[in-house]
Amino acid sequence: MEEAAASPKPASVNAKCVVVQGFGGIRQLKVAIKTQLLPEENQVMVRVKACGVSFLDVMVRQGLVDNPPRTPFIPGFDCAGEVEALGEKVLSVRRGDRVLCVKELGTWAEFIVVDEANVFKLPENMDYTQAAGFFFSYVPAYLMLFEIGHLRANANVFAHGLGGGVGQAIVQLCKTVDGVTLIGTASKQKHDILKPMVSHLFDHTVDYVLETKKVLPDGVDLLLDCLAGEDINRGINLLKPLGKYVLYGMSNVVTGETKSLLSFAKTWWQVDKISPIRLYEDNKTISGFQLRSLISKPSAQPLLRTTLERLFTLFAEGKILPVVDSVWAFDDVGEAMLKLHDRRNIGKLVLDPASLSLAEQQRLADSQAVEAEAEEGDSSDTGGPDDPGDAEE
């Protein structure tokens, strides 16, 4: 008797995902089911448990990045999850391993396929929510502070956006070096929470250059700027001799829910022409840092992996701990991005592919309340030992 032929393995899986249909506001975000092909020989398929949401995602959605992707596309640059399937030549991970992944878009999905080089095993005590966004928060903070800034004891650091994911990573990493003075800005509504974490905190709307020089008349050793625009000039003016300025973001170009060409142009009009001769005379250094482009460079892979390993060690030692602002369902991604856009978050926002939406949670709560009321009504209608009907016996 002939044996039955083995069923062929499926070539793909269906995955729930978030899709950007066109550049613009949150109405361009839709949840859809897409086909995800299985991994090739040097790739890994991951069942995603949590996805990071960053301000870069807002800029990508609005089409405010260099070489924007063609729409429609699945957004997201990092996530955490469990290895579901492996290519034949993958050796560094096994099926079932808990991992962190980075990718040039496409992580906001139930399943993703990523190159083995961009998959990293998680520490045992780091959960998926903490891991989501870890790479895009701590890796830039570490590289700017230590590789570019050469942070050392008793240095003075100024940073914008201390309430965000990268900002919170900067706060924690500065505490790993003795005597560092950290000064920065954050939205006024965050000050009560953030002030105990830093040496001095200002609202961005005040003259923070003047206020900082009241505390540090000579200026700062390192300034980390995620804003751009006129804040570039202010930042350079805040540097002391041999100080370093690092631009790592352009959030000032985002002024509304959709792209504003006027805002984009204004951001660059406000920047003075940088003169190398002036830098030479003032003993100042200007640098730039963009993690998105660095990830795409094969020559940077050893540095990124080494940096992440150092950060995992700091996490295991309890010296850093990811701050998660809130966790959202895919169906509520628009609300999550609005919170980020309005600068109402402290720490990272995270998407959970398996989480119930706010509407589903409300319907469930309403249903449970109705069931509870019905059970209470049934118990009150049931005669007990003191039922008046028994008194006539």
Side-chain angles (χ1 to χ4, degrees):
M1 182 174 178
E2 294 183 3
E3 293 184 4
S7 301
K9 291 184 178 180
S12 63
V13 296
N14 291 328
K16 183 179 180 181
C17 59
V18 177
V19 177
V20 175
Q21 298 184 117
F23 296 120
I26 60 173
R27 291 186 178 181
Q28 296 291 349
L29 297 165
K30 299 295 180 183
V31 176
I33 302 297
K34 294 286 186 179
T35 299
Q36 174 63 70
L37 298 177
L38 294 183
E40 296 181 3
E41 59 182 16
N42 291 312
Q43 293 181 321
V44 178
M45 173 177 278
V46 175
R47 181 186 293 270
V48 176
K49 302 292 186 178
C51 319
V53 184
S54 69
F55 209 84
L56 176 59
D57 297 306
V58 175
M59 297 183 68
V60 171
R61 192 199 73 218
Q62 294 190 5
L64 286 171
V65 294
D66 290 335
N67 301 314
R70 295 180 62 182
T71 58
F73 64 90
I74 300 173
F77 292 92
D78 56 349
C79 66
E82 182 178 301
V83 174
E84 183 77 10
L86 303 169
E88 295 178 356
K89 293 186 177 181
V90 173
L91 300 175
S92 61
V93 293
R94 297 180 179 179
R95 192 172 185 276
D97 281 350
R98 301 166 61 254
V99 294
L100 176 157
C101 309
V102 294
K103 186 178 182 181
E104 173 60 16
L105 298 175
T107 63
W108 291 5
E110 286 182 312
F111 292 94
I112 68 165
V113 168
V114 62
D115 292 339
E116 180 184 11
N118 291 329
V119 178
F120 310 90
K121 286 185 180 180
L122 291 179
E124 290 184 3
N125 55 340
M126 179 181 287
D127 63 38
Y128 292 124
T129 301
Q130 292 172 327
F134 185 90
F135 194 96
F136 267 79
S137 294
Y138 285 89
V139 170
Y142 187 95
L143 291 176
M144 289 188 294
L145 288 171
F146 297 105
E147 291 292 328
I148 300 175
H150 301 289
L151 185 64
R152 52 179 178 263
N154 303 314
N156 302 315
V157 178
F158 186 103
H160 290 294
L162 291 179
V166 177
Q168 285 293 285
I170 290 170
V171 169
Q172 295 179 13
L173 289 170
C174 280
K175 293 182 184 299
T176 66
V177 181
D178 293 337
V180 171
T181 298
L182 177 59
I183 302 176
T185 64
S187 303
K188 187 68 175 178
Q189 67 267 25
K190 304 179 183 181
H191 281 207
D192 288 345
I193 296 175
L194 297 178
K195 275 186 176 179
M197 304 179 186
V198 299
S199 304
H200 301 278
L201 185 66
F202 305 117
D203 187 349
H204 180 257
T205 59
V206 307
D207 188 345
Y208 60 82
V209 174
L210 177 63
E211 296 301 318
T212 299
K213 289 199 171 182
K214 289 179 181 178
V215 181
L216 300 170
D218 293 334
V220 298
D221 299 293
L222 178 62
L223 191 140
L224 308 179
D225 180 10
C226 58
L227 303 179
E230 62 182 349
D231 290 288
I232 293 177
N233 306 322
R234 294 175 180 175
I236 295 172
N237 289 334
L238 256 179
L239 296 178
K240 64 167 59 173
L242 300 183
K244 296 180 179 179
Y245 165 92
V246 184
L247 178 67
Y248 74 98
M250 294 174 51
S251 65
N252 275 343
V253 305
V254 179
T255 56
E257 193 184 324
T258 58
K259 179 168 68 174
S260 167
L261 293 177
L262 177 61
S263 173
F264 191 86
K266 182 181 177 182
T267 297
W268 292 110
W269 290 339
Q270 292 172 330
V271 180
D272 291 341
K273 184 177 180 180
I274 305 298
S275 168
I277 300 300
R278 182 66 182 272
L279 295 175
Y280 155 73
E281 293 173 344
D282 292 344
N283 290 288
K284 295 180 179 180
T285 300
I286 298 178
S287 301
F289 179 84
Q290 188 191 73
L291 184 57
R292 180 191 175 199
S293 64
L294 197 63
I295 290 172
S296 66
K297 304 291 191 298
S299 60
Q301 293 300 319
L303 173 63
L304 294 175
R305 185 168 289 275
T306 299
T307 299
L308 192 59
E309 290 171 354
R310 291 172 181 166
L311 289 166
F312 282 164
T313 298
L314 290 173
F315 173 84
E317 294 172 349
K319 294 180 179 179
I320 60 175
L321 181 66
V323 178
V324 177
D325 176 271
S326 49
V327 180
W328 302 76
F330 275 180
D331 289 314
D332 297 320
V333 62
E335 293 299 317
M337 296 194 87
L338 279 180
K339 184 172 188 178
L340 193 64
H341 173 272
D342 295 338
R343 281 78 165 178
R344 290 182 283 118
N345 62 297
I346 294 181
K348 290 292 297 186
L349 274 70
V350 174
L351 297 178
D352 180 353
S355 179
L356 294 178
S357 68
L358 295 176
E360 290 170 329
Q361 292 177 39
Q362 185 60 55
R363 285 195 293 269
L364 180 61
D366 292 343
S367 176
Q368 291 173 341
V370 170
E371 291 178 1
E373 289 179 3
E375 291 177 1
E376 184 177 344
D378 291 343
S379 63
S380 63
D381 291 340
T382 303
D386 296 326
D387 192 328
D390 297 334
E392 296 179 359
E393 292 187 2

